[in-house]
Amino acid sequence: MKLNMAEEEDYMSDSFINVQEDIRPGLPMLRQIREARRKEEKQQEANLKNRQKSLKEEEQERRDIGLKNALGCENKGFALLQKMGYKSGQALGKSGGGIVEPIPLNIKTGTGIGHEASLKRKAEEKLESYRKKIHMKNQAEEKAAEQFRMRLKNKQDEMKLEGDLRRSQRACQQLDVQKNIQVPREAWYWLRLEEETEEDEEEKEQDEDEYKSEDLSVLEKLQILTSYLREEHLYCIWCGTAYEDKEDLSSNCPGPTSADHD
């Protein structure tokens, strides 16, 4: 116990009285930073005090001061109220049921007379423009869809006409052969053979040139060929029947076109 007490240092010794300055690395830099911040804050406060206020800020300050102060006798309206028996702090009205404080002043900044109406008008114009764009887009889509339907219908009608023409050509060839007609009146009255020998290559090329030179449409060819079948063979492609004579054909066949047989 005595050894421990002897080892303890005296609190009145120089080691405790003469405390050395703390010179740990980084401390001087921290002090400089704190001092710089204090100077910067003081400078900002001075700048705020010395800064020239804008016209809007001055008007706001004067307005706030004026609204905080009560009306005095120098105010003409307040003087008239006093002559009629009004006392400061009383409620307005004969029975004293009115307001005590003046109606608060509500100042709108950034807007003027008609500003809300202008905003409403612009919003309506924007909505109307959007509706027009949607309407035009819908019309364009409907038009494109109608054009597609028309192209599809025309394609289907064209394919039907081509099928009717091939059927008429086949019937014409069979009926001509039955009458010992070896050469068709026109080259396209008969169907061309798909299988030909090498010896017929040149003839095939000539036939193709003839077909290319034709200016008739599929409908015109069909009308010409059906008329030939009716006149030459008393045959109606739509009825699928060969009649005995012209009287029988005119009496029992509805007509020379496909529409007559619908």
Side-chain angles (χ1 to χ4, degrees), residues 89-117:
Q90 286 183 345
L92 297 178
K94 185 176 181 179
S95 60
I99 62 174
V100 178
E101 296 294 333
I103 298 174
L105 182 63
N106 184 16
I107 299 175
K108 293 183 178 180
T109 58
T111 59
I113 297 174
H115 181 72
E116 293 182 358

Side-chain angles (χ1 to χ4, degrees), residues 164-191 221-222 224-237:
D164 292 340
L165 178 61
R166 286 193 298 271
R167 193 153 52 95
S168 300
Q169 289 171 328
R170 192 177 297 108
C172 179
Q173 185 173 1
Q174 292 175 356
L175 293 172
D176 282 349
V177 170
Q178 289 177 6
K179 281 192 172 185
N180 294 322
I181 300 175
Q182 301 299 324
V183 179
R185 180 177 296 183
E186 297 289 343
W188 56 268
Y189 274 28
W190 290 6
L191 282 174
K221 288 182 179 181
L222 180 62
I224 294 171
L225 188 55
T226 51
S227 298
Y228 170 78
L229 290 172
R230 293 174 69 87
E231 293 174 2
E232 184 68 24
H233 300 291
L234 302 174
Y235 180 79
C236 176
I237 188 67

